[in-house]
Amino acid sequence: MTTGDGSWDAESLRSGDLRAGFGADLQASSELADDGTRTPRAEIVEAISLAMAGSLNLRRCVLQLLTAVRPELADWAMVVLTNPRTGALTLYGGDDPSATGKASRRSVAGQALDRILTTGRTELLHVSPDTAVADGLASMVPTKVLREQAAQLRPVDVLGLGLTARGVTLGALVVVRGQGRGFSQEDVALSELLASRGSLALDSARLYEQRSRVAAALQASLVPAALPVVPGVDVAARYRPAIEQLDIGGDFYDMFGAEDDWLAVLGDVCGKGVDAAVLTGRARQSLRTAAHFERRPGALLSAFNTVFHEDTSDRFITLVCLRLRPAAGGRSADVEIAVAGHAGPVVVRADGRAEQLEIEGTVAGVLPDVDYPTTTVRLEQGDALLLFTDGVEEARGQEGFYGLDRLLNLLGEYAGAGADAICGAVEQDVVEHLDGRSHDDIALLAISCGGPTGWQN
Amino acid sequence: MAELTESLADFEAALAAVDTSAAIGVVDDLLVAGVAPVTVLTGVIAAAQRNVGARWQRGDWTVAEEHAATAVAAAATEAVARHARLTPITRGKALVACAEREWHALPAMIIDCALRADGWDTTLLGASTPPLRLGQYLQDLGPDALAVSCSMLGALPTTRRFIEASTTAGIPIVVGGAAFGPDDLRARALGAAAWAPDAPSAVEAARALPAVVPAVAPLPDAAVAEQAALELSHRELVASLLADWQVDPGLEVAEDAVQQVLHAVWAGLMTGDPRVVPQTAAWIAEILRSRGEDPEKVTALGGLLRTCLRDYPLAHSLIDNSWPAFVH
C-alpha cells in the first residue's frame, strides 16, 4: 500500500483488529463526521506534500507533516522514525507537534507499530472506549504520555501508516480522530497517499541531513579559528567565501601566540571552494607547527615553502606572515613581515596616511628553496595594519576592479577607527562595489595598536 | 532606572571616545549588579546607538566616526552575549540574520543576544547575509524561528526573499528595523509572522511564533514587476537625479538622499505603504538642514522624481500622491 507502486497484499490483513486497507471491509465509513464542506481532499495531500518538500531539514519536514494533517485528516498525530543503526525510535508530535521523545525498538516488539515499521503496511485498529489505553492505542503508541493524550480524544480507531520511500520503511505515521469520527475507506486511502508522498520528502531530508552532518563536521575544522585576545592590540577579521553558501574557501587567516609575541598569517590557496579549503586547513596547521620552532616570519615561510613544495608540487599558495610584539599598554607594537607572492599589508597611520608596505617574496610551493626577505614596521598608538587577499583589489564591479587606490582612500578615512570598524568598512565598500556580481574569496585581518583609542575627535 | 541613566551617559561617553574597554566596563558593571541582559541591551546599548545614528544624520559625525563608535557598541554587545551564553538553553533554535545589503550588523547582534538570554539556541549570521547562505542555514539548522533585521529601505526586497525562503520551509519569521517603519504594516505586507520594534518585543514575538507557517502568497505582480524594473535601472536613475538636483556638488549626502528616495519607492511598491514616501522626504529635509542646505530642495527633488519615474506608472502615482508639497 505504501510501497510506491500502489500494490498491496492480503498479508497485511493478518491482524484480527485490522479493518482497513485498499478494498478492505470498512465499518468505519459510516462513522464519518461532517466533511461536506471540506477542501477537496486530494488537494490537501497535494498541499501537504508541497509544504514538506519545502524543507530539507528532517525535523522541520516532520513538523510540516504533523501540523498539516490537522484537522482535515486527523485530530492527533505522531511520527515515529527509526534509526537504522541503533534501532532507536524517535517520536515526534502528539498534542504538541514540535514535541519529541524516544523509545526503543525492543519496547514495541510484537506490537502493531513494530509490524508497521517492519512491513510498511497500514494497520487500522479499534479503540474501545473503556480500555482505550490498553488496546489499539497500546499497540500503536509507544509511550504512556502520548497514549494518554490520544485517549483524551476518545477515539474509535487508531490508524498507523508506514512511511516508505525508495524501498526503505523509515518510520510510521500514527493518526487518531476524536469524538467518534473514525477512518472511512476513503480516509485510509487518502492517508496512504499522503504517507507515500510525505515519505519521499522525509527520505530526501534524511539523506540531506546525513550529508550535511558530514559536511558540517569537516567544515568545522576548516572555518577560520576565533581570534585571540591580544593585550594592547585590537584585532578583527572578515571572511566572505566566493561560494556564498559555504563558510569556507581558499582564503584563510590565523593568529596565535602569547603575551608579547604573536604571529599572524593570511593566505590564499589557488582555487576556490572545498578543495582549496582542505589545503588551507593543512597550511594553517603546518604554519602553527613550524611556528613552534621558528618565529621569524622569513625563516618560517622558507620552511613552509620547502615542505609545501615537496607535498603538493602542483599547488601553490600566497601568504603574508607577520610577527607582532606589542609594548606594554598598547603604546606601540613592532611588526616584522614577510610575504610569499602576496600583496603587502597596508599601514594606516593615526593621522590618516595609508600606504602599502613594499615587500616581495616568491609564491610558496613553486620552488624548492626560497629565502624570504623581511621588513619591519612600528605601529604607534592608533596606527593599524590591514592584511587582505586579492579578492579585495580584484573585486570587479560596474566600473572595473576595486583596486588599491580605492582601498587606500577608504582606509585613510578610517584612521584610528579600530580594527573592527576598518574591516567592516572595507567589507561593505568592496561588496557594494561588486553590486551583486560574483567574486573571489575575500579575507581581511586588521590589527590596530592600542585599540581604537587613537581616534582624534 | 536612575542607575541606567548614569550608565547610559557613561556608555555614550565611551562611544564618543571610541574607548572599547570603558564601554565593556559599563555593561559588565550592570550585569554584575544583576541588571537583566535585555535591559542592558535596550536601555544602554540600543539607546546610545540611536544617538550615534542621530549624530551622523545631523552631520556631527562622519560615517567613519559612526562606524568606529558602532564597533565599540558591538564589542559591548559581545560582552553581554558572553554573559547571556551562561543561561541554559530552554527554547528552540533561532537563526538571526541581516538582510542582504543591510550593513548595520549591531541590531541583529542585539536581537541575537536578547534571544539567547531568553533561552533560545541562536545562530547569528553577520552583516549583509547572501540569500544562498541564509538558505543553507535554514536547511542545515532547521530553526524554529528566523529573525531578520533590516534598517535600510533598499534591503527590503531581499528581506522579502528571506521571508519566501523561510516560509517555504515552514519557518516563521520575525522582522524588525527602521525600514519597517513605525508599525507592523510593512512587515505583514511582506509576509512576516511578526514585527518587533525593539529587543524586548522581539523576545516576546519569538515566544509567540507558531511552529509552522504556510508559504507566503506572491506579492501583487504589477508592483513587483515595477520594483524589479526600477532596481535594474537604479544606477541610471541615481545618476540622472544627482545630475539634475540643484544642491551643492560637494554635498556627500546628496547621493545618500537620492538612493534613499528611490529605495523608498521600492518599499512603497512592495509593501503598499505610501507613508514611506513622506517619511523619507522628511528625513532628507533633516539631513539637508543640518548640513546648511535649504530643506525646500526636497520639493524640487519631488519634481525631478515625477519626471524620471514617468515610465513607471505605479511609482509615479506613489510620488504624485505622497510627496509632500512643502517641507517644514
Side-chain angles (χ1 to χ4, degrees), chain A residues 4-17:
Chain A
D5 60 3
S7 66
W8 70 289
D9 60 32
E11 216 180 282
S12 65
L13 296 170
R14 62 190 147 83
S15 160
D17 273 325

Side-chain angles (χ1 to χ4, degrees), chain A residues 54-57 59-60 63-64 67 208 212 240 244-245 247 399 413-414 417 428 431-432 435-436 452 455 457, chain B residues 16 18 20 64-65 67 101 103 127-128 130 132-133 136-137 139-144 168-171 211-212 235:
Chain A
S55 182
L56 282 172
N57 181 277
R59 195 182 65 90
R60 293 289 328 176
L63 208 48
Q64 293 269 27
T67 316
Y208 177 84
S212 142
R240 265 188 192 259
E244 290 177 329
Q245 69 273 35
D247 288 340
E399 300 122 31
E413 291 171 35
Y414 281 81
Q428 177 175 350
V431 175
E432 291 291 336
D435 196 21
W455 187 260
N457 252 318
Chain B
V18 196
T20 307
E65 282 171 304
H67 282 186
R101 306 204 151 191
W103 292 102
S128 187
L132 278 173
R133 184 160 188 252
Q136 187 77 42
Y137 272 85
Q139 302 302 347
D140 287 353
L141 277 182
D144 299 279
T168 299
I171 299 162
V212 173
R235 275 171 184 271

Side-chain angles (χ1 to χ4, degrees), chain A residues 312-364:
Chain A
T312 54
S313 55
D314 60 333
R315 304 296 293 271
F316 57 88
I317 181 169
T318 73
L319 285 162
V320 48
C321 175
L322 65 82
R323 184 183 195 180
L324 176 79
R325 320 205 55 173
R331 282 185 306 279
S332 69
D334 288 313
V335 185
E336 188 185 1
I337 304 169
V339 300
H342 199 96
V346 172
V347 185
V348 190
R349 297 294 180 189
D351 61 8
R353 282 173 297 144
E355 57 179 10
Q356 185 174 30
L357 293 175
E358 290 194 14
I359 175 159
E360 289 184 355
T362 309
V363 173

Side-chain angles (χ1 to χ4, degrees), chain B residues 237-260:
Chain B
L237 291 168
V238 169
S240 124
L241 284 168
L242 273 178
D244 296 340
W245 195 24
Q246 307 276 324
V247 288
D248 178 359
L251 188 71
E252 282 182 11
V253 292
E255 185 173 345
D256 289 320
V258 166
Q259 295 265 10
Q260 189 74 4

Side-chain angles (χ1 to χ4, degrees), chain B residues 153-154 230 234 237-238 241-242 245 253-268 276-284 298 301-302 304-306 308-309 315 318-319 323-324:
Chain B
L153 292 171
L230 284 168
H234 187 64
L237 291 168
V238 169
L241 284 168
L242 273 178
W245 195 24
V253 292
E255 185 173 345
D256 289 320
V258 166
Q259 295 265 10
Q260 189 74 4
V261 78
L262 289 169
H263 291 164
V265 173
W266 298 1
V276 68
V277 169
Q279 280 158 4
T280 303
W283 177 84
I284 294 173
V298 167
L301 183 59
L304 295 174
L305 280 165
R306 283 187 191 91
C308 83
L309 295 176
L318 181 64
I319 292 292
W323 195 263

